[in-house]
Amino acid sequence: MLSNGKQREAGPPAVGEVVGENLRRLRQARRWTQDTAAREFAGVGLHWKRTHIAALESGRRETVDVGTLVLLAAAFHVPVTELYQGSGDVLLTPRADADDYAVTATREQLREWLSGVESNIMIRGAQAAIAAVELSGHKTRPIPVEADGALAKRLGRDVRDVVKAAEGLWGRSLTEERDRRVTAELADLPIGERQARQGHITRELSAALRQWIEGGEVEANG
């Protein structure tokens, strides 16, 4: 089940930490040193130094992009799901998120999604990370609403009201609009700076959406 809320400092591992843990498992199963792994990775086009591998294995990277996941799996000749083996929750949102609003999923769910299996996920509370919301008469679809949920909590509203208002303003949820702008404007920045700027974008969009909502653009839910 997806869950969200304030996380303690010693909360679930981030996606990059889980990948690093499994990278170490796969490497050791093949009895590769980190130098050997670097040579194997180079063979599939992933040009990492030993120090880069060590950083990932020790949990010093929160995120790993999709291209890297594919190349790591290719180097080990395993499906991408092997990089998410184990049990327990995984932190899906950056620890430096402006709202400090943590969203988690289980490793099993991540493996199902990566395998193309449609998960029957139950959403808890108004601040769900992904919700099935019917918007503008379209067929209900799963959409990311992590930032919408945080704003809904601050406004004391149902998350569906916030998402509907966001679609009225941008044609997508607050979370989707935030992510779209981050990708378009910040993709080339280092991860630390990108996360800080993402927080600024989230605050700007949340303020605009709050003004839209309080201006009476959204009818009361029900």
Side-chain angles (χ1 to χ4, degrees):
M1 180 178 290
L2 285 176
S3 61
N4 43 357
K6 300 282 186 177
Q7 292 289 338
R8 299 187 302 273
E9 186 174 345
V15 169
E17 295 174 84
V18 173
V19 172
E21 170 192 320
N22 281 285
L23 168 58
R24 182 175 61 250
R25 174 182 63 82
L26 291 167
R27 178 180 62 78
Q28 292 178 342
R30 285 158 177 72
R31 298 187 178 182
W32 292 353
T33 65
Q34 290 176 340
D35 286 320
T36 301
R39 290 193 294 272
E40 293 290 335
F41 295 168
V44 297
L46 186 62
H47 299 286
W48 278 6
K49 296 180 179 179
R50 183 195 62 78
T51 53
H52 200 141
I53 296 171
L56 184 58
E57 289 188 355
S58 63
R60 296 200 298 273
R61 293 186 60 187
E62 286 193 6
T63 60
V64 179
D65 63 71
V66 173
T68 297
L69 286 172
V70 170
L71 294 177
L72 287 173
F76 287 111
H77 301 286
V78 297
V80 172
T81 51
E82 276 296 311
L83 293 164
Y84 290 99
Q85 289 300 314
S87 60
D89 288 345
V90 182
L91 182 63
L92 301 180
T93 46
R95 298 190 195 280
D97 189 277
D99 298 309
D100 193 27
Y101 204 76
V103 179
T104 65
T106 67
R107 298 192 193 197
E108 181 181 11
Q109 285 175 333
L110 285 180
R111 292 194 296 270
E112 288 180 349
W113 293 334
L114 289 167
S115 299
V117 177
E118 184 177 354
S119 293
N120 183 20
I121 301 166
M122 297 296 294
I123 306 301
R124 287 188 302 189
Q127 292 77 45
I130 299 178
V133 181
E134 187 173 350
L135 300 173
S136 301
H138 297 299
K139 183 179 179 180
T140 299
R141 65 186 178 91
I143 59 173
V145 295
E146 152 246 334
D148 306 71
L151 180 59
K153 184 177 181 180
R154 291 198 297 274
L155 297 180
R157 282 182 171 266
D158 190 293
V159 68
R160 289 171 294 181
D161 287 342
V162 174
V163 174
K164 288 177 182 178
E167 195 191 50
L169 189 55
W170 300 300
R172 57 185 65 86
S173 73
L174 168 60
T175 307
E176 290 176 311
E177 177 64 13
R178 188 271 313 278
D179 292 345
R180 184 189 70 81
R181 297 195 186 191
V182 167
T183 300
E185 300 172 17
L186 311 178
D188 295 332
L189 294 178
I191 185 170
E193 186 176 352
R194 184 165 69 246
Q195 289 174 349
R197 295 280 295 277
Q198 173 177 303
H200 178 70
I201 289 175
T202 303
R203 288 190 294 273
E204 278 193 340
L205 294 176
S206 295
L209 185 56
R210 180 171 187 165
Q211 184 176 3
W212 177 276
I213 292 171
E214 293 179 346
E217 298 289 344
V218 178
E219 297 180 358
N221 182 51

